[in-house]
Amino acid sequence: MTWTTIRTTDHHWEAELMQQMLTAQGIPARVIAQGSTSYPSCGLSAVLQVRPQDQWTALLLLSPMEDEVQEA
């Protein structure tokens, strides 16, 4: 199966939360940890991936609402 990266984050927990949101909508997703850390309090960076055919739907689901974008 081919996977496409849609998000990279400095916090593994953040990628896992996004994965749960996508899975709840029926979109298969996976989190890949990147790098390593020698400090327990530092989070590992992570990559969130989805299948290529789900890329745009996943990006839309994870994007901020339009009202939030206009206020920023």
Side-chain angles (χ1 to χ4, degrees), residues 2 8-9 16 20 25 30-31 39 45 51-52 57 59 67-69:
T2 304
T8 302
T9 178
E16 288 180 349
Q20 290 176 7
Q25 296 299 317
R30 70 179 184 177
V31 174
Y39 301 101
S45 62
R51 299 177 306 178
T57 305
L59 288 170
D67 293 340
E68 292 175 4
V69 173

Side-chain angles (χ1 to χ4, degrees), residues 5-17:
T5 298
I6 60 167
R7 187 80 48 101
T8 302
T9 178
D10 290 333
H11 305 286
H12 196 270
W13 63 265
E14 185 178 10
E16 288 180 349
L17 178 62

Side-chain angles (χ1 to χ4, degrees), residues 10-45:
D10 290 333
H11 305 286
H12 196 270
W13 63 265
E14 185 178 10
E16 288 180 349
L17 178 62
M18 290 185 280
Q19 179 188 26
Q20 290 176 7
M21 292 170 59
L22 293 174
T23 302
Q25 296 299 317
I27 298 174
R30 70 179 184 177
V31 174
I32 308 290
Q34 286 191 318
S36 63
T37 180
S38 58
Y39 301 101
S41 61
C42 295
L44 285 174
S45 62

Side-chain angles (χ1 to χ4, degrees), residues 1-4 6 27-28 50-59:
M1 183 181 297
T2 304
W3 295 90
T4 301
I6 60 167
I27 298 174
V50 296
R51 299 177 306 178
Q53 62 266 32
D54 295 323
Q55 178 181 1
W56 295 112
T57 305
L59 288 170

